[in-house]
Amino acid sequence: MKPEDNKVMQLKDAVSKYIKHGCHLSIGGFTLNRNPMAAVYEIIRQKTRDLHVYAHSNGQGVDELIGAGCVSHLEIAYGGTGKFMPTCIRFKKAVQEQTIIVEDYSNFQMTLRFLAGAMGIAFLPTRSSLGTDIINKWGFPKEFRKQHDLIPNQKLVVMDNPFDGWCDTKKVVLVPAITPDVTIIHVQMADFRGNCRIEGLTFADVEQAKAAKRLIITCEELLDDDYLKNDPDRNQIPFIHADAVVKVPFGAYPTACYRYYDYDAAYMNAYARAAKNDDAYQQYLAAYVFDCPTHTHLLDKVGRGRVESILADRNRGYAKNLDRK
Amino acid sequence: MDYTLRELMTICAAREIKNGDIVFCGTGISMLAAMAAKNINAPDSVIFFETGAIDSKLEDIPLAVADPRIMYHTSANGGLMEAFCTMQNPMSGARIVGILGAAQIDLYGNLNSTVIGEYDAPDVRFSGSGGACDVASFVSRSIIFMKMEKRKFKKKLDYLTSPGFLDGPDGREKAGLPPGGPDKVITDMGVMGFDEHTRQMFLIGCFPGITPDQILDNMEFEIRTDRAVEIAVPTQTELTLLREKCDPHGLIL
């Protein structure tokens, strides 16, 4: 490896270098799994503001970015983390109080939008959402869309099938490409150049990674040059897309990372309780984000016993006997 | 026999699933209904998640559709693209049964899971579509869980997130959607279906101790009740398998 190929950075430096005020950001993972939480907490600590966030169903990460006041615009399909927060609480509050502007799509549409970005094509068609308010109702007004170069002039466009009914299809919806300034994903393994191996479901991480102008990868394990290349069938993202690689063990905590650790039900429950009350939420942010200069400090604060309790059974991929009440 | 309403609702949904069906499930009770079908009446049904896991073993109950428990012992672990393409593809989509829930439903089985009030200035914001609109757009039939309340069975939805039959028998075709649509609505008081000609909701049956009038009292719109029968209660076998095999720690029930 040539020295210039080495993309390894400290988390603080990667975030301050690439994620500026007003940045168009997408984060990987899904609801309570493989959200790049260490990076999310670092963005909050750096007090980055006015982020335009793209997500399909990122629950925990998006909710914390909104709760800390980092987000002004959000394009999303789903704000929830399943049982712990059926609707993300700070997201709900921010939309109701109109402190963020949200634009709704479906999960497939958001995935197609990232794929279109990754393909370098302006839009892709689907049949999803025909006849619904996802097409009829817009969060970003037309004027706002016209004024901003980084978002398309229309939310969605319905079009007659130009192939005259081919494939029993009369109409399609065109979904516009997303090309975020930065995507951040958390993966199980990466190497110094940024080759990535994701274990378990990839969600839309690969599309999100390839759609972005810059890609920050946080990883559980940082490996030598040849390790991932010796078993390339298991790798999903080649290094050519990567800009920064950061080793952060438990970097998805408190969300899960398949084969490494489970979600921390106790943390997620405590988070949901705090999120319901503004004062309690400020105390949560102070104690668990601002008072923890690094992710290691957060893990120490939570306690190594708790962290050990969520370690995954390597074969099953989760903590078999974890108390999840 | 002793059973809770939640158990009864779960069993009612499970009974709608047949061997060979591919079952799309969301979180909570819909996931439990899919597990119940697999353990009770449809061992050869296939559990399928929008996040990309198919035929998960589900040794332990997942608490979200991205729970690592769905990734264990699957046919394939893919991603969202694979999952939604499987639904949009009419060959595989025709075999998929969707299980959904929502904040509001109307006469034609259209669903709202986005907002109450104005979209730009909502009184209440919900999670949003997630994959629900995709499922409702693509798959051959869906089963919908709802709580019987006037504010949930609405003449007009505040926001139409997921398409049912839209505005009538030819609503889906006019909009450009594939055929399909809602099949059953399972509530805490009874079960509804959709008339094959009018595509309007009607009462299939009441749970024990509930009358059709009580159901109508909890809806903003009228439905036909002349075909209603009493719904069969869960058997001891169904309850035992549901409690012991599907949710032994009571995480959902």
Side-chain angles (χ1 to χ4, degrees):
Chain A
M1 186 180 70
K2 298 191 287 292
E4 62 268 31
D5 290 340
N6 188 347
K7 295 169 187 159
V8 176
M9 296 176 80
Q10 293 297 310
L11 184 58
K12 199 178 229 172
D13 301 332
V15 168
S16 66
K17 181 171 180 188
Y18 293 114
I19 301 172
K20 310 289 187 191
H21 297 304
C23 175
H24 284 226
L25 172 71
S26 90
I27 62 172
F30 198 102
T31 60
L32 45 63
N33 205 318
R34 245 176 359 78
N35 280 224
M37 293 309 299
V40 163
Y41 293 135
E42 183 56 34
I43 293 169
I44 296 173
R45 280 191 295 271
Q46 293 191 12
K47 300 197 165 118
T48 314
R49 290 292 177 265
D50 196 26
L51 293 176
H52 186 115
V53 173
Y54 303 96
H56 39 79
S57 295
N58 304 83
Q60 192 70 24
V62 164
D63 202 55
E64 299 219 26
L65 285 173
I66 293 171
C70 303
V71 180
S72 61
H73 296 84
L74 176 65
E75 303 191 35
I76 196 173
Y78 185 83
T81 60
K83 183 175 160 49
F84 301 103
M85 289 194 289
T87 299
C88 279
I89 296 164
R90 301 311 292 188
F91 156 76
K92 181 187 187 101
K93 193 174 163 61
V95 180
Q96 288 173 192
E97 292 176 357
Q98 298 174 56
T99 55
I100 63 168
I101 304 178
V102 65
E103 192 72 282
D104 277 270
Y105 291 90
S106 73
N107 266 341
F108 188 36
Q109 288 174 338
M110 288 306 289
T111 307
L112 286 169
R113 296 185 67 197
F114 288 121
L115 177 63
M119 291 169 73
I121 192 78
F123 56 82
L124 283 169
T126 172
R127 299 180 79 179
S128 180
S129 85
L130 284 161
T132 73
D133 284 335
I134 291 181
I135 294 172
N136 298 331
K137 295 193 178 173
W138 291 21
F140 304 160
K142 272 209 161 94
E143 278 309 304
F144 173 85
R145 287 184 167 276
K146 270 191 199 151
Q147 285 158 12
H148 288 79
D149 294 343
L150 290 175
I151 51 174
N153 284 354
Q154 313 234 41
K155 179 186 179 186
L156 291 164
V157 174
V158 178
M159 185 187 176
D160 287 336
N161 179 359
F163 292 92
D164 303 327
W166 176 239
C167 286
D168 287 329
T169 301
K170 285 189 187 142
K171 289 180 188 175
V172 291
V173 191
L174 310 181
V175 303
I178 297 172
T179 51
D181 293 322
V182 184
T183 287
I184 311 175
I185 57 171
H186 183 75
V187 304
Q188 282 87 351
M189 296 178 201
D191 66 22
F192 291 85
R193 297 194 300 163
N195 291 310
C196 292
R197 180 172 299 167
I198 298 172
E199 298 193 305
L201 298 174
T202 53
F203 308 123
D205 280 25
V206 179
E207 291 85 353
Q208 288 176 269
K210 293 180 180 178
K213 297 177 191 110
R214 299 287 183 184
L215 173 62
I216 300 175
I217 297 153
T218 62
C219 59
E220 292 297 322
E221 294 189 70
L222 180 62
L223 298 146
D224 288 337
D225 211 20
D226 279 336
Y227 185 90
L228 296 181
K229 290 186 77 176
N230 283 338
D231 196 0
D233 301 0
R234 295 171 62 201
N235 306 337
Q236 292 84 6
I237 301 171
F239 73 98
I240 58 165
H241 301 282
D243 293 282
V245 181
V246 184
K247 181 179 178 180
V248 194
F250 290 92
Y253 179 91
T255 70
C257 187
Y258 182 65
R259 292 210 171 119
Y260 284 72
Y261 46 91
D262 221 316
Y263 45 85
D264 184 351
Y267 191 105
M268 309 274 284
N269 279 324
Y271 175 87
R273 276 195 302 277
K276 287 186 182 118
N277 174 288
D278 287 349
D279 291 337
Y281 197 70
Q282 291 310 316
Q283 286 165 20
Y284 161 78
L285 279 176
Y288 287 90
V289 186
F290 290 107
D291 279 359
C292 298
T294 69
H295 208 57
T296 311
H297 289 84
L298 170 66
L299 299 172
D300 289 341
K301 177 161 260 173
V302 169
R304 290 286 159 176
R306 264 262 293 288
V307 173
E308 273 165 31
S309 76
I310 62 166
L311 286 176
D313 161 350
R314 184 75 196 161
N315 169 43
R316 282 199 180 76
Y318 56 91
K320 175 74 183 162
N321 296 313
L322 180 65
D323 179 3
R324 294 182 291 145
K325 286 236 174 180
Chain B
M1 196 179 311
D2 257 1
Y3 55 85
T4 66
L5 259 180
R6 247 174 122 69
E7 288 172 335
L8 174 58
M9 291 170 74
T10 310
I11 296 290
C12 279
R15 287 171 181 165
E16 298 294 328
I17 296 163
K18 309 283 180 281
N19 277 329
D21 285 346
I22 303 169
V23 187
F24 162 91
C25 42
T27 49
I29 193 169
S30 93
M31 195 152 353
L32 192 57
M35 289 175 78
K38 191 131 179 88
N39 280 288
I40 299 168
N41 52 296
D44 294 327
S45 57
V46 176
I47 294 181
F48 168 61
F49 295 94
E50 65 186 278
T51 41
I54 187 155
D55 207 20
S56 311
K57 188 172 185 183
L58 297 186
E59 252 184 28
D60 295 282
I61 197 157
L63 299 184
V65 297
D67 194 307
R69 283 154 191 78
I70 72 164
M71 304 179 194
Y72 173 58
H73 206 275
T74 66
S75 293
N77 276 339
L80 273 67
M81 189 56 68
E82 286 84 356
F84 288 113
C85 289
T86 302
M87 294 183 214
Q88 187 168 240
N89 178 337
M91 289 174 284
S92 39
R95 292 177 56 198
I96 299 177
V97 183
I99 312 183
L100 303 169
Q104 295 179 333
I105 187 167
D106 69 12
L107 180 63
Y108 293 105
N110 303 303
L111 304 176
N112 172 12
S113 54
T114 305
V115 291
I116 303 290
E118 293 298 317
Y119 180 61
D120 320 37
D123 300 324
V124 185
R125 171 71 210 201
F126 298 108
S127 58
S129 160
C133 171
D134 306 309
V135 174
S137 295
F138 299 146
V139 309
S140 65
R141 64 189 176 103
S142 31
I143 299 165
I144 302 155
F145 278 109
M146 290 296 302
K147 195 168 180 326
M148 287 287 350
E149 283 180 38
K150 257 203 166 74
R151 61 186 183 134
K152 290 178 174 286
F153 284 74
K154 296 281 286 182
K155 275 187 183 152
K156 180 158 178 27
L157 302 178
D158 290 35
Y159 184 102
L160 199 168
T161 312
S162 305
F165 295 109
L166 294 175
D167 58 358
D170 55 355
R172 291 180 69 96
E173 201 191 337
K174 275 190 304 186
L177 288 172
D183 184 32
K184 297 281 170 8
V185 183
I186 297 180
T187 78
D188 49 344
M189 298 177 87
V191 177
M192 286 83 146
F194 292 86
D195 184 273
E196 60 175 316
H197 302 295
T198 67
R199 295 306 195 186
Q200 294 183 349
M201 193 186 291
F202 71 95
L203 185 63
I204 290 179
C206 302
F207 289 158
I210 302 286
T211 66
D213 281 346
Q214 282 175 293
I215 288 183
L216 291 173
D217 282 347
N218 282 284
M219 306 175 72
E220 223 182 57
F221 55 88
E222 293 272 318
I223 57 168
R224 288 184 62 168
T225 60
D226 52 331
R227 284 173 266 182
V229 293
E230 191 171 290
I231 301 288
V233 301
T235 65
Q236 191 57 58
T237 314
E238 284 173 326
L239 285 172
T240 305
L241 287 169
L242 176 65
R243 290 170 187 164
E244 290 172 16
K245 293 275 282 195
C246 303
D247 190 13
H249 303 292
L251 291 172
I252 307 278
L253 282 173

